[in-house]
Amino acid sequence: MKLRVLYALSCAWGLLSCSSIQTITFDQLSPAQVSLPEQVRTVAVVNNMPSVPEPRPDLLTFGVLDGEGKTAAEALAGALADSRYFNQVVICDSALNDAAADGGGFRQLSHRDVVALTEELGVDAILSLDRIFVENEKKEMVYPGMPDPWPYLQTKITPVLNVYSPVRERPLFTVSLTDSIECDWDRLPSDKQLLEDVSHISADLLGRRLVPYWSQTERLYFAGGCVEMRDAAVSVGEGDWATACEEWLGLYNRRKSGKMKGRAAFNLALGAEMRGDFEEAKSWLEKAGKHMPEGSEDEKAWGFYQMQLAERIKDFFYLQAQMRRFDNNLLQ
């Protein structure tokens, strides 16, 4: 996945060397990676992590260590509450798990525990924060022209969370993922600072798996080559998509064939996407493909946008299902 993203970004950066291609950036609501039942309106975040020693403020531990449950549970509950996806988010940060981390410490909640917690806390589901694995390792990066490698600290973070419902014997979902952060070797944090940062990073990582979230998205569009394209680009910069689409549609209808007709259709696909009409966007993109010279920069931009639009349409299907609880029209 990382290689594909890097390849896509390198294509986009290469295309920007062409002065007629510009970028726009906008915020897009992205779906959560798991879809909770629509009936789950209130949830409780519980600290089911094993106990760990008080982190030291004056040293950094290398190798494997465990995150701190109370801070992480509070951070996750805060992130979920800020999303306003649930009617209510309750926090139970008192440790449910009294096992020591170095003895294993990972345990699932029993069905009896889940029923008791949901009744006591008055919620529909339990989000059990079970473990945050942390691994610190010294790394070195070699830069061309530098006599010595650059040392840095890499911290791998793996939070594990289970979602429980009182009507199910086993967890609805297990959410586990790994990410990493880097720190300059001259600015190493202490265990105390690191684990506090890890708690908030874990909350953000898990939150994006549990509820829809806003992410920044970029798109390419053609902005030069003729007067109509330049005028439309001014309208795009002002957020006036209706006027921009009028310019592109007029240009498309006036040109019988050629590069500018393909570029106008490409931009009209983007205009349709901005309105939330994905079927029209696909239609315009198909028309644009018929006028893209093989092997040209225009064709590369067209192929890149095809990939982006397909991903957006796939995500939108899941997003609609996840947002149905609000009876929202998600066409914008």
Side-chain angles (χ1 to χ4, degrees), residues 85-104:
Y85 186 70
F86 301 108
N87 292 357
Q88 186 179 27
V89 179
V90 178
I91 174 68
C92 177
D93 56 6
S94 299
L96 301 179
N97 186 354
D98 57 3
D102 57 6

Side-chain angles (χ1 to χ4, degrees), residues 152-331:
Y152 65 95
L153 172 71
Q154 182 185 73
T155 302
K156 290 184 180 180
I157 306 168
T158 305
V160 181
L161 177 141
N162 276 290
V163 181
Y164 295 91
S165 167
V167 300
R168 293 279 297 272
E169 291 284 341
R170 300 185 62 81
L172 293 174
F173 303 104
T174 297
V175 181
S176 178
L177 63 152
T178 299
D179 203 348
S180 62
I181 56 175
E182 285 76 36
C183 176
D184 193 280
W185 194 252
D186 295 330
R187 299 181 179 181
L188 295 179
S190 65
D191 280 351
K192 184 177 180 62
Q193 181 59 57
L194 178 67
L195 292 185
E196 184 175 339
D197 293 342
V198 163
S199 293
H200 292 281
I201 293 169
S202 298
D204 182 65
L205 292 172
L206 292 172
R208 288 170 177 255
R209 268 65 183 175
L210 295 168
V211 299
Y213 61 96
W214 290 98
S215 59
Q216 200 169 73
T217 305
E218 286 190 345
R219 292 288 186 267
L220 304 174
Y221 71 100
F222 293 97
C226 65
V227 174
E228 294 93 335
M229 281 292 192
R230 289 190 288 271
D231 289 345
V234 173
S235 297
V236 170
E238 296 172 348
D240 185 357
W241 285 94
T243 300
C245 287
E246 288 178 8
E247 293 280 0
W248 294 328
L249 182 60
L251 178 61
Y252 179 84
N253 289 332
R254 285 192 296 272
R255 297 295 177 102
K256 293 183 178 180
S257 62
K259 179 169 64 176
M260 297 311 298
K261 190 176 184 72
R263 290 183 173 184
F266 180 102
N267 287 358
L268 283 164
L270 177 60
E273 183 192 0
M274 293 297 102
R275 296 195 307 274
D277 192 337
F278 299 125
E279 287 302 316
E280 183 179 343
K282 285 174 59 180
S283 176
W284 278 117
L285 203 54
E286 289 174 2
K287 294 174 183 177
K290 299 175 183 178
H291 303 281
M292 297 293 174
E294 186 174 353
S296 66
E297 294 298 310
D298 288 15
E299 187 187 45
K300 292 178 183 177
W302 175 78
F304 183 55
Y305 186 28
Q306 265 198 324
M307 181 183 69
Q308 288 181 307
L309 185 61
E311 190 71 19
R312 177 84 188 274
I313 292 172
K314 183 186 72 174
D315 284 350
F316 189 74
F317 172 80
Y318 294 107
L319 185 61
Q320 279 187 309
Q322 292 170 5
M323 298 296 285
R324 193 175 294 128
R325 64 182 64 206
F326 301 111
D327 297 322
N328 275 359
N329 182 352
L330 294 177
L331 296 182

Side-chain angles (χ1 to χ4, degrees), residues 45 72-83 89 91 203:
V45 177
E74 290 175 350
L76 178 57
L80 295 178
D82 290 343
S83 74
V89 179
I91 174 68

Side-chain angles (χ1 to χ4, degrees), residues 61-127:
T61 301
F62 285 88
V64 177
L65 62 157
D66 274 85
E68 194 275 313
K70 180 179 173 63
T71 304
E74 290 175 350
L76 178 57
L80 295 178
D82 290 343
S83 74
R84 299 186 179 183
Y85 186 70
F86 301 108
N87 292 357
Q88 186 179 27
V89 179
V90 178
I91 174 68
C92 177
D93 56 6
S94 299
L96 301 179
N97 186 354
D98 57 3
D102 57 6
F106 181 85
R107 71 180 184 95
Q108 289 190 344
L109 297 178
S110 70
H111 184 243
R112 180 178 296 179
D113 290 336
V114 172
V115 171
L117 282 168
T118 53
E119 290 179 354
E120 179 183 347
L121 300 173
V123 296
D124 302 318
I126 300 295
L127 309 181

